[in-house]
Amino acid sequence: MPAVLFFLTLLGALCSHGQAMTREEKQRLRNQVVEMFDHAYQNYMDHAYPADELMPLTCRGRVRGLEPSRGDIDDALGKFSLTLIDTLDTLVLLNKTTEFEAAVRRVLKDVRLDNDIVVSVFETNIRVLGGLLGGHSMAVMLKEGGQHMQWYQDELLHMAKDLGLRLLPAFNTSSGLPYPRVNLKHGVWGPETRTGTETDTCTACAGTIILEFAALSRFTGDPVFEAHARRAMDFLWEKRQRNSNLVGTTINIHSGEWVRRDSGVGAGIDSYYEYLLKAYILLGDDLFLQRFNIHYASIMKYISQPPLLLDVHIHKPLLPARTWMDSLLAFFPGLQVLKGDIRPAIETHEMLYQVTKKHNFLPEAFTTDFRVHWAQHPLRPEFAESTYFLYKATGDPYYLEAGRTILDNLNRFARVPCGFAAMKDVRTGSHEDRMDSFFLAEMFKYLFLLFADADDLPFDVEDYVFTTEAHLLPLSLSTAPHASSIPSNKTSEEELDDSNFDWTCPNTRLLFPDPAFPRNLREPIRSAVDKSCPRPAPYREPGMGRPPLRAQDFMANNPEHLELLRRMGVSLIHLKDGRVQLVQHATQAVSAVAAEDGVRFMQEMMELSSQQQKEQLPPRAIQIVSHPFFGRVVLTAGPAQFGTDLSKSSTGVRGFVTVAEPYSGCSEITNAEYVRGRIALLQRGQCMFAEKARHIQKAGAIGGIVIDDNEGSSSDTAPLFQMAGDGRSTDDVTLPLLFLFHKEGNILLEALKEYREVEVLLSDKARDRAAIFKGKPLPGSLIEGSVDVQEAEEDCTTEATTPTSFEPVSQSQMSTVELDELAPEEVTPSQDENSPIEEDTSPAEEVSPPEEDASSADQAQPKEERDSEKREEPEGDTDSSSQSVDELLADWREDLEAFKQMEKDEL
């Protein structure tokens, strides 16, 4: 069967029951996509190039080694101008031929691939090698057109081969599966490589090589690359679980044993399935389609629970492995379109669309009842990808409206003066200082194609296949000569008898003769998501015993409590960061009975710590709304367990900020005339949070913001901080009080120093700028035409609260508890190794931070590096606060002037 037949699926358009979008409106949205791309690309070139990525909040480039490490996420960065290479073929698709030619010349002049740096094999393959090959494909196409790139002599292809040779040492394993990392200069062997000791890799990491390596072989005539990629694919197929025909998430590259045996279509596996099908499309090898069909049947039998896609265990596929889904599975409806299975694609896409509308973006992970599990959103393109493919398959204008929603949300919530910033928390609208290269490589391709007509495109996209990074490889490669120089692990054809599977793509008109059928599929899913908002679980009383002092009543500034702790053998150690560590030595108690009371006290602390993980208040948002910020800067804030509940306020609390005197807020406010009617800024420490709140409330403040005194602390690296009461009733506190870590607090203080009058909005989440400035012209309007204010939807992210907040910090071998000085916020208990009752009280597992589920290793978050590996919480940028606000906002002013001029032009 010719490989191009799979793309015929996209041509079987459904008649739509909905209102068609006019050609003029599609053109307006297409032009808006181009304007948004220009905003992101030009800011990268102006502020970041030749760095790998743009940091859009601080308007500078991210250079590995100069910024604080973010762990595995940084393995995508190799000091090779990643974003520019990843964007090359996007420039051509968006008809920016002149910019493409200039970008290619820059790459050839500036980029080096022999850096002494350890990079991810997976990320470097899909982003850099794929980007070079996609750029080469576009350059050849333009050169053959006779008008552009006439000077081009396959220079990008030569760079691609150089990079391919640098990646090859990673495949030097007995299994053929590649090491997850490689040193671009030294390979994987020897101490100078600083790698080569890893034993595990994810399935997607090893199985997402074949398109780029096969294309490189067929472009250059060197078969070694395709042969290595095929060998890795063959080995993964051999190691599938033979009864379920599913693969696990993580595999040992030497033994082939599955390390993680959970199986799904999201992080860690996703693009392995994608590349099986697309390898057939690009290379025309029936074996890849046979394997894909067998896997797909098992996916639909065990993992697909329409509209959900839930991970299972490969040996017990009827047993669910988790109760949440990650956002990377959003690519799967698009893959189902390529397969020709339209109905489940419509159902799953609709579920994802409703979750998107509920939270503005797809959370990094969400539960089966559609609540936030991981709140980040790094501007992933997978949902836009599936939206485009479903529109191509059905012609239903409903998917154009879904694309409009994506555009509007990006402009309203992610756009900043220096580009587009990832969402740190979709619940509050706070930002993260990152704009990954895949945002330019993929998001704008799919959105442009969604709204473009055939005559808007510089070439026929049906002649190309999209890689997982949306790079364009020509289907003509299927006829290029190729050979294998390495023995394959290929299975006999008898085992792969695929006679039960159709070899042709179904015609969607015959499948859905009723034009309203897609809408009928979507309606029940929309209702299910809308109605799914479970109530918080009731608070449970922690602890069973009743020692003289209850853990939930303990206050670190109460002399009587401290004496009771001393008698129980519990002492306090004051830490530099403002917390207090409780340490229990049973042998130091005044009696055996007191020692037992101390043990029970520590057990209660553990219960409270565990309970706090389950009953975490969501973060709040502080949005700077005055000039020149106009609502674009959103700071993540910790909530208080007393005072105004911002989650129950539709408008939040808005006012100008002023520094209280004394700054600690621990005595009567002496500048009450300035604090009255304003939001008071306070410093953490010296007294209880509730005491600070009472003092500023007495002075007439309408709200308060407590700023951490621990220099360098940041919400990027520290768990969410909650402010507890003072052990007595706090019903008298009626104003809202929020907590900012030092880094975020400095942004506010620097703004106040620079502009004197700074207005902020305290709320449960960032507000749409149109809602903040309703009735007035929208400052720096970023959206063409009028902006409709979205009605507030019921927020399903708020979870249960506890009377007292305890946040675990760390675990030691002693019986220790850490908590905030003078307030019982943070507790981490464990057992003293010298305690005579160690075996009765020591917990077996480590208490994890509240953002994570510590129930199993399966809960490890997927790596931010796109389709595959486990992710780590990113570390913050610790030095951004040292920049003056004037420098930080220099380019913002230019953008504001441009926006004002744009508004005048529209009028």
Side-chain angles (χ1 to χ4, degrees):
M1 171 187 172
V4 74
L5 271 183
F6 254 79
F7 279 85
L8 296 180
T9 304
L10 305 180
L11 304 179
L14 266 176
C15 296
S16 170
H17 188 75
Q19 181 66 40
M21 183 178 287
T22 64
R23 182 181 178 89
E24 291 74 20
E25 181 65 6
K26 283 182 65 177
Q27 183 177 10
R28 187 187 74 80
L29 292 172
R30 185 197 69 224
N31 292 340
Q32 188 176 17
V33 172
V34 175
E35 184 277 329
M36 291 166 66
F37 170 83
D38 289 341
H39 178 68
Y41 178 71
Q42 201 55 51
N43 272 290
Y44 166 75
M45 296 304 296
D46 291 346
H47 299 293
Y49 183 82
D52 284 316
E53 289 181 343
L54 169 69
M55 299 172 68
L57 298 183
T58 50
C59 301
R60 67 176 190 268
R62 183 180 296 281
V63 179
R64 192 168 173 186
L66 299 183
E67 300 295 332
S69 172
R70 301 175 298 169
D72 290 347
I73 304 170
D74 286 338
D75 286 346
L77 312 181
K79 298 182 179 179
F80 35 37
S81 302
L82 174 64
T83 297
L84 183 61
I85 291 177
D86 221 0
T87 308
L88 288 176
D89 50 7
T90 307
L91 289 167
V92 178
L93 183 67
L94 271 58
N95 295 292
K96 296 183 176 295
T97 310
T98 302
E99 290 89 339
F100 170 74
E101 191 158 352
V104 172
R105 290 185 184 276
R106 279 182 180 268
V107 169
L108 300 180
K109 174 177 174 288
D110 298 338
V111 174
R112 295 187 55 177
L113 299 173
D114 60 349
N115 301 313
D116 183 7
I117 193 168
V118 176
V119 297
S120 162
V121 173
F122 167 79
E123 296 290 352
T124 305
N125 173 67
I126 66 171
R127 299 204 209 186
V128 186
L129 182 57
L132 292 171
L133 292 172
H136 170 70
S137 300
M138 296 295 97
V140 170
M141 181 268 296
L142 291 172
K143 183 176 182 179
E144 290 175 350
Q147 295 184 354
H148 302 280
M149 301 296 292
Q150 296 304 299
W151 55 269
Y152 183 69
Q153 298 293 327
D154 295 343
E155 289 89 346
L156 291 177
L157 180 59
H158 298 152
M159 288 185 68
K161 184 173 183 180
D162 178 27
L163 180 60
L165 291 172
R166 295 179 184 279
L167 295 178
L168 275 184
F171 291 81
N172 190 16
T173 62
S174 57
S175 66
L177 299 179
Y179 283 95
R181 297 173 185 84
V182 67
N183 187 301
L184 289 177
K185 186 173 185 178
H186 301 294
V188 295
W189 296 107
E192 70 276 7
T193 68
R194 304 184 303 283
T195 188
T197 59
E198 304 92 343
T199 59
D200 306 335
T201 193
C202 71
T203 301
C205 303
T208 312
I209 306 288
I210 185 65
L211 291 190
E212 292 82 3
F213 268 42
L216 181 57
S217 282
R218 299 191 182 202
F219 273 132
T220 63
D222 187 344
V224 66
F225 305 105
E226 181 174 347
H228 278 292
R230 282 179 176 266
R231 186 181 178 204
M233 293 288 274
D234 291 342
F235 190 82
L236 289 173
W237 171 255
E238 282 292 315
K239 292 301 177 180
R240 76 192 186 283
Q241 211 290 322
R242 298 304 178 99
N243 293 322
S244 66
N245 281 315
L246 295 174
V247 292
T249 302
T250 307
I251 190 170
N252 186 293
I253 60 175
H254 304 297
S255 67
E257 294 294 321
W258 291 110
V259 179
R260 285 183 53 191
R261 301 186 178 190
D262 49 313
S263 183
V265 296
I269 302 180
D270 47 4
S271 48
Y272 162 67
Y273 293 133
E274 178 185 4
Y275 270 36
L276 277 174
L277 180 56
K278 290 183 176 179
Y280 165 71
I281 296 173
L282 180 66
L283 307 177
D285 188 335
D286 292 350
L287 185 67
F288 290 118
L289 181 60
Q290 289 176 320
R291 293 176 178 178
F292 172 81
N293 280 334
I294 291 173
H295 280 314
Y296 185 78
S298 293
I299 291 170
M300 300 309 292
K301 181 178 181 180
Y302 300 119
I303 295 171
S304 177
Q305 301 178 32
L308 309 180
L309 292 163
L310 292 177
D311 284 18
V312 299
H313 294 279
I314 58 175
H315 292 90
K316 297 180 180 178
L318 297 177
L319 182 64
R322 60 170 70 156
T323 58
W324 47 270
M325 296 165 279
D326 65 73
S327 62
L328 287 172
L329 60 77
F331 90 102
F332 197 67
L335 190 65
Q336 289 179 307
V337 169
L338 291 182
K339 161 68 177 170
D341 199 0
I342 307 297
R343 174 173 181 149
I346 291 173
E347 293 174 331
T348 298
H349 180 276
E350 181 61 20
M351 177 270 293
L352 296 168
Y353 186 27
Q354 295 305 318
V355 173
T356 296
K357 290 203 289 187
K358 185 174 288 293
H359 302 295
N360 297 323
F361 299 96
L362 268 184
E364 196 71 331
F366 52 94
T367 62
T368 53
D369 55 5
F370 313 114
R371 296 194 301 171
V372 172
H373 185 68
W374 297 328
Q376 304 95 326
H377 174 76
L379 306 182
R380 294 199 185 278
E382 285 78 13
F383 178 67
E385 174 185 357
S386 288
T387 302
Y388 162 66
F389 280 117
L390 269 168
Y391 177 67
K392 287 285 287 184
T394 66
D396 190 339
Y398 180 84
Y399 297 108
L400 296 177
E401 293 302 326
R404 187 207 301 268
T405 299
I406 297 171
L407 279 185
D408 289 349
N409 288 344
L410 284 172
N411 269 326
R412 290 177 179 176
F413 304 113
R415 185 162 181 157
V416 294
C418 285
F420 291 83
M423 306 306 296
K424 184 175 184 178
D425 193 315
V426 298
R427 297 167 297 186
T428 65
S430 58
H431 292 135
E432 193 173 348
D433 201 4
R434 60 183 290 194
M435 187 179 81
D436 292 84
S437 68
F438 54 71
F439 182 62
L440 285 165
E442 300 183 66
M443 181 70 81
F444 294 112
K445 273 198 190 84
Y446 291 124
L447 290 176
F448 183 81
L449 287 168
L450 178 65
F451 298 114
D453 294 323
D455 53 2
D456 297 322
L457 303 177
F459 56 88
D460 187 354
V461 294
E462 304 294 347
D463 293 335
Y464 295 82
V465 64
F466 289 104
T467 69
T468 195
E469 190 78 4
H471 292 305
L472 293 155
L473 299 178
L475 291 173
S476 58
L477 290 174
S478 62
T479 60
H482 65 283
S484 177
S485 61
I486 294 179
S488 172
N489 296 320
K490 187 179 295 188
T491 309
S492 63
E493 294 299 323
E494 291 77 17
E495 182 182 347
L496 293 173
D497 178 19
D498 203 29
S499 58
N500 293 325
F501 293 96
D502 291 332
W503 284 89
T504 57
C505 303
N507 186 312
T508 53
R509 290 185 184 275
L510 299 179
L511 280 176
F512 305 139
D514 179 5
F517 189 67
R519 185 188 62 177
N520 296 335
L521 288 177
R522 292 192 291 258
E523 284 297 334
I525 297 170
R526 181 181 302 119
S527 301
V529 176
D530 286 343
K531 293 177 181 177
S532 179
C533 194
R535 295 187 177 276
Y539 173 74
R540 291 191 305 164
E541 185 76 352
M544 297 300 293
R546 291 192 173 271
L549 177 63
R550 300 297 305 275
Q552 67 184 45
D553 298 327
F554 171 69
M555 290 190 298
N557 65 339
N558 187 316
E560 293 182 6
H561 290 183
L562 297 179
E563 174 60 21
L564 287 172
L565 289 186
R566 187 193 67 78
R567 294 178 62 83
M568 292 188 296
V570 179
S571 56
L572 277 74
I573 300 175
H574 294 264
L575 304 178
K576 292 182 179 179
D577 61 3
R579 288 173 299 158
V580 172
Q581 185 181 61
L582 297 181
V583 183
Q584 189 217 4
H585 300 274
T587 56
Q588 296 180 9
V590 296
S591 67
V593 173
E596 291 179 6
D597 288 342
V599 170
R600 285 196 294 267
F601 177 82
M602 300 300 285
Q603 286 178 312
E604 284 196 345
M605 282 293 189
M606 284 190 284
E607 289 290 334
L608 279 172
S609 177
S610 176
Q611 188 71 21
Q612 179 58 27
Q613 293 176 45
K614 302 174 183 176
E615 301 178 349
Q616 180 84 353
L617 283 174
R620 305 300 187 214
I622 297 176
Q623 195 166 4
I624 307 179
V625 298
S626 55
H627 171 84
F629 304 93
F630 299 123
R632 293 191 187 92
V633 175
V634 182
L635 307 174
T636 299
Q641 296 179 340
F642 53 86
T644 302
D645 185 356
L646 292 171
S647 67
K648 297 179 180 178
S649 171
S650 60
T651 58
V653 174
R654 179 171 174 174
F656 289 91
V657 298
T658 190
V659 177
E661 295 179 5
Y663 190 23
S664 67
C666 292
S667 59
E668 186 173 344
I669 303 301
T670 58
N671 62 336
E673 67 275 15
Y674 297 107
V675 170
R676 187 174 300 110
R678 295 192 168 219
I679 296 172
L681 301 182
L682 306 156
Q683 187 177 46
R684 177 185 181 183
Q686 300 184 33
C687 64
M688 304 293 288
F689 292 119
E691 187 176 346
K692 299 175 189 287
R694 290 188 180 99
H695 283 138
I696 62 172
Q697 180 172 291
K698 183 179 178 181
I702 61 174
I705 300 172
V706 178
I707 298 174
D708 194 7
D709 59 346
N710 180 25
E711 188 171 351
S713 66
S714 167
S715 62
D716 292 334
T717 56
L720 175 68
F721 187 89
Q722 299 187 64
M723 296 180 288
D726 55 4
R728 57 191 179 94
S729 174
T730 52
D731 292 343
D732 58 317
V733 179
T734 58
L735 51 68
L737 191 70
L738 297 182
F739 178 88
L740 284 179
F741 283 105
H742 186 267
K743 175 185 172 183
E744 288 78 9
N746 249 17
I747 294 175
L748 197 55
L749 291 172
E750 287 293 326
L752 185 61
K753 180 180 178 182
E754 188 82 11
Y755 298 102
R756 296 190 179 181
E757 291 293 319
V758 175
E759 189 179 16
V760 302
L761 174 65
L762 313 182
S763 58
D764 61 329
K765 58 184 177 182
R767 303 294 177 178
D768 182 354
R769 295 174 62 244
I772 296 174
F773 299 102
K774 61 183 177 182
K776 304 176 184 177
L778 184 61
S781 178
L782 302 173
I783 307 169
E784 295 184 34
S786 61
V787 180
D788 295 329
V789 180
Q790 293 179 329
E791 294 184 1
E793 297 184 12
E794 184 178 2
D795 185 3
C796 294
T797 63
T798 303
E799 300 183 8
T801 61
T802 105
T804 309
S805 173
F806 291 89
E807 209 169 280
V809 181
S810 64
Q811 178 125 357
S812 70
Q813 292 182 339
M814 297 172 60
S815 178
T816 62
V817 176
E818 295 177 7
L819 63 164
D820 187 63
E821 185 169 12
L822 305 183
E825 282 89 359
E826 305 179 14
V827 178
T828 302
S830 62
Q831 187 61 31
D832 183 0
E833 60 185 354
N834 299 319
S835 172
I837 47 176
E838 173 181 328
E839 61 277 9
D840 297 325
T841 60
S842 177
E845 68 278 353
E846 181 175 347
V847 181
S848 300
E851 289 85 358
E852 300 175 356
D853 184 348
S855 61
S856 73
D858 296 349
Q859 306 297 329
Q861 298 186 10
K863 186 179 179 183
E864 293 281 1
E865 294 182 13
R866 293 282 294 109
D867 303 26
S868 62
E869 308 172 22
K870 293 178 281 187
R871 77 188 293 274
E872 297 181 2
E873 283 296 322
E875 295 185 10
D877 174 18
T878 58
D879 63 356
S880 64
S881 60
S882 63
Q883 267 191 310
S884 74
V885 172
D886 191 50
E887 293 175 359
L888 187 65
L889 298 178
D891 296 301
W892 292 24
R893 295 192 187 96
E894 296 179 11
D895 281 342
L896 288 173
E897 292 302 319
F899 297 150
K900 291 175 184 176
Q901 186 61 46
M902 187 169 61
E903 287 177 328
K904 291 179 183 178
D905 294 342
E906 289 175 356
L907 294 174

